[in-house]
Amino acid sequence: MPIPYRAARSPRSTAIAIFGGFLLLCLTASAPAEPLKLNDVLLRAAGADMTAPVRTAAVGAAEAALRQARIGPQPTIGVDLEDFAGSGPYSPARRAQSTFYYEQRWERGGKRDARTAVARSEVGLTRQRAMLRALDMLSEVQIAWVEAQAAEAMARIADERLQLARRLEAETGRRVSRALDPLFSAERARAATALARVDHERATAASRAAHAVLAAYLQIAAVDLDAADFVAPALAAPVDRAPDLALLEAEKDAAGQKVDLEKAQARTDPTVRAGVRHFGQGNDVAVIVGGSIPLGGQRASRGNIERAEAERRAAEAEIAVATAKRQREIDRLTADRAAILRQIAGADAEVTPRAERAVRLVRDGFNRGGTAFTFLEVAEAQRAVIDARLRRIDLLRSYHLDGARLDRLTGRHLPLITSEETR
């Protein structure tokens, strides 16, 4: 067999190839990852969801039950032996009789169709429950995203506060050295810096913990978030897929199918039998035919039918209750979010700009070295700005947490679920 020709690679070209691959690997590894938006976070969470195999297996089990429900009663074959042992004239084995028979139960009343319909409704129920479980997971991820964004914003403000405290401490020290401020002002400035340092460490630790929780949902080591969706909120277009009501509707349909099944079960099923009997004495054979039918089917199934009808009425009533309760919750969340946006807009237009202007005026006078402004006035002006920014973050956190609840109620993230149960 001829050996195919392969050009030999020179050591120099091999070294160049290795170096090029290593350089490409370094550039790829060092390239900064793009910060994730909320939709990116939810997509990654849906792909890394560890409960997806559980939901898929549950749907598979329901589908297997549906296939089983389509199977009707199976035939039976058997044998009966009579007079093969006894006393007196029945003691010889030649007096024995044997019967080989074939038996089949005949379903009436549409039992197979009703049973199949119930199993099919269970498949729908299982898929609806699986989707709700996935939505619950995405809602948890969205809440973790809100907490991580809020904690990161808090950490940034804490860092800014620490830098301001250090700068004010240095300026106060210079004023004390020039006898413009008393000595206790320097101690107050140092205490304020120490407090800001403690708050900064605590806020940084809280931010790391919140990011770690979110990264655990995504099954990655660390997560870098894009803050645009958090700091600049806007009312999204209404989307209402009503996933919880869809589950209740599926439960109502399943209850109705069970009513039909119980009514079908009330119809008794006859059993027919045919076979061949062999007589040991004389070695003769004969054909036998028989049948049976249970009695009292309607009376025996009355309780089951009444129970199934009661469960269907309960499911219908539950839909009405859940619809009203859900609508009240949606209206409340929508109103609260609109009110929060108005508060944020008012603070951005009036409170924060005035507080920042007051800080500039006080610091200008303080830095000029006069005695008109003291350390306490500068610290108070800076505290007003910090408080305004912290309040904005609290409002944003409440707004987005309400949004996570609203998205869960309306099923906004349902298209992100692409696993087996949504087929």
Side-chain angles (χ1 to χ4, degrees):
M1 178 177 180
I3 301 176
Y5 173 77
R6 180 178 298 173
R9 177 175 292 179
S10 65
R12 180 180 179 182
S13 61
T14 303
I16 292 175
I18 294 175
F19 177 76
F22 177 75
L23 181 61
L24 178 62
L25 179 62
C26 292
L27 291 175
T28 304
S30 61
E34 185 177 355
L36 299 178
K37 294 182 175 296
L38 174 59
N39 194 65
D40 301 328
V41 170
L42 294 176
L43 277 173
R44 292 198 179 194
D49 184 13
M50 299 180 64
T51 65
V54 179
R55 302 193 301 268
T56 303
V59 173
E63 291 176 342
L66 173 60
R67 292 191 295 271
Q68 184 65 34
R70 295 192 180 105
I71 300 176
Q74 299 300 297
T76 302
I77 60 173
V79 61
D80 289 337
L81 297 178
E82 302 178 28
D83 303 337
F84 69 93
S87 60
Y90 296 99
S91 57
R94 61 187 178 86
R95 301 287 297 272
Q97 302 179 42
S98 58
T99 304
F100 298 90
Y101 62 89
Y102 176 91
E103 188 177 78
Q104 176 68 56
R105 182 164 61 91
W106 176 34
E107 281 189 330
R108 296 192 308 160
K111 289 185 177 64
R112 182 184 301 183
D113 292 339
R115 185 171 61 247
T116 302
V118 169
R120 187 178 295 109
S121 67
E122 290 296 331
V123 173
L125 271 174
T126 304
R127 287 177 175 166
Q128 288 292 335
R129 293 191 183 104
M131 286 190 291
L132 289 184
R133 186 171 183 180
L135 283 178
D136 289 337
M137 183 276 300
L138 291 180
S139 180
E140 293 176 4
V141 173
Q142 189 171 357
I143 291 173
W145 174 84
V146 173
E147 298 295 349
Q149 290 278 21
E152 185 175 354
M154 291 285 191
R156 286 195 296 267
I157 291 180
D159 181 71
E160 181 181 357
R161 179 186 176 191
L162 177 60
Q163 299 305 322
L164 291 174
R166 287 172 175 171
R167 191 179 308 130
L168 183 58
E169 178 185 356
E171 293 171 355
T172 304
R174 287 192 294 269
R175 288 175 62 88
V176 169
S177 64
R178 295 165 55 191
L180 296 176
D181 284 338
L183 292 176
F184 68 82
S185 295
E187 292 299 325
R188 283 184 173 179
R190 283 190 286 271
T193 302
L195 180 60
R197 186 181 302 109
V198 172
D199 290 342
H200 177 262
E201 293 174 356
R202 181 177 58 189
T204 303
S207 178
R208 284 197 300 265
H211 279 70
V213 171
L214 182 58
Y217 278 106
L218 307 184
Q219 297 186 24
I220 57 179
V223 59
D224 185 17
L225 299 178
D226 188 342
D229 294 338
F230 182 80
V231 300
L235 289 175
V239 175
D240 193 359
R241 297 181 175 90
D244 297 282
L245 295 184
L247 175 63
L248 294 178
E249 289 287 348
E251 291 177 349
K252 185 195 72 172
D253 294 341
Q257 299 295 343
K258 289 179 181 178
V259 171
D260 295 338
L261 176 61
E262 293 299 338
K263 290 181 178 179
Q265 296 283 11
R267 296 287 300 275
T268 54
D269 299 335
T271 302
V272 296
R273 173 186 290 195
V276 177
R277 173 168 293 184
H278 175 264
F279 298 92
Q281 187 176 7
N283 201 28
D284 296 326
V285 296
V287 176
I288 63 169
V289 177
S292 64
I293 186 169
L295 300 178
Q298 293 288 341
R299 184 175 62 255
S301 301
R302 186 178 298 120
N304 290 334
I305 296 174
E306 292 175 352
R307 182 200 62 195
E309 290 176 343
E311 290 176 350
R312 181 180 59 184
R313 292 193 300 270
E316 293 173 351
E318 183 65 27
I319 290 177
V321 173
T323 301
K325 180 179 179 181
R326 176 179 172 277
Q327 191 58 48
R328 289 196 301 268
E329 183 73 4
I330 290 176
D331 293 341
R332 182 189 67 80
L333 292 171
T334 303
D336 289 348
R337 298 185 82 206
I340 290 174
L341 286 183
R342 288 193 296 270
Q343 294 182 54
I344 293 176
D348 291 345
E350 296 289 339
V351 179
T352 303
R354 293 180 182 277
E356 291 175 347
R357 185 171 183 271
V359 168
R360 289 194 298 270
L361 294 175
V362 172
R363 289 187 64 86
D364 289 343
F366 186 77
N367 293 334
R368 283 196 296 268
T371 58
F373 297 99
T374 64
F375 162 79
L376 292 179
E377 291 172 324
V378 176
E380 185 64 26
Q382 291 179 350
R383 186 180 302 113
V385 174
I386 296 296
D387 290 343
R389 294 179 180 176
L390 291 176
R391 175 171 173 75
R392 190 179 196 276
I393 294 176
D394 287 337
L395 290 173
L396 288 173
R397 179 177 177 273
S398 299
Y399 174 85
H400 289 293
L401 288 177
D402 289 345
R405 176 59 181 163
L406 188 62
D407 290 344
R408 170 60 185 82
L409 287 174
T410 58
R412 174 179 293 273
H413 304 310
L414 200 57
L416 299 179
I417 305 171
T418 58
S419 52
E420 179 73 12
E421 63 270 15
T422 59
R423 290 182 303 152

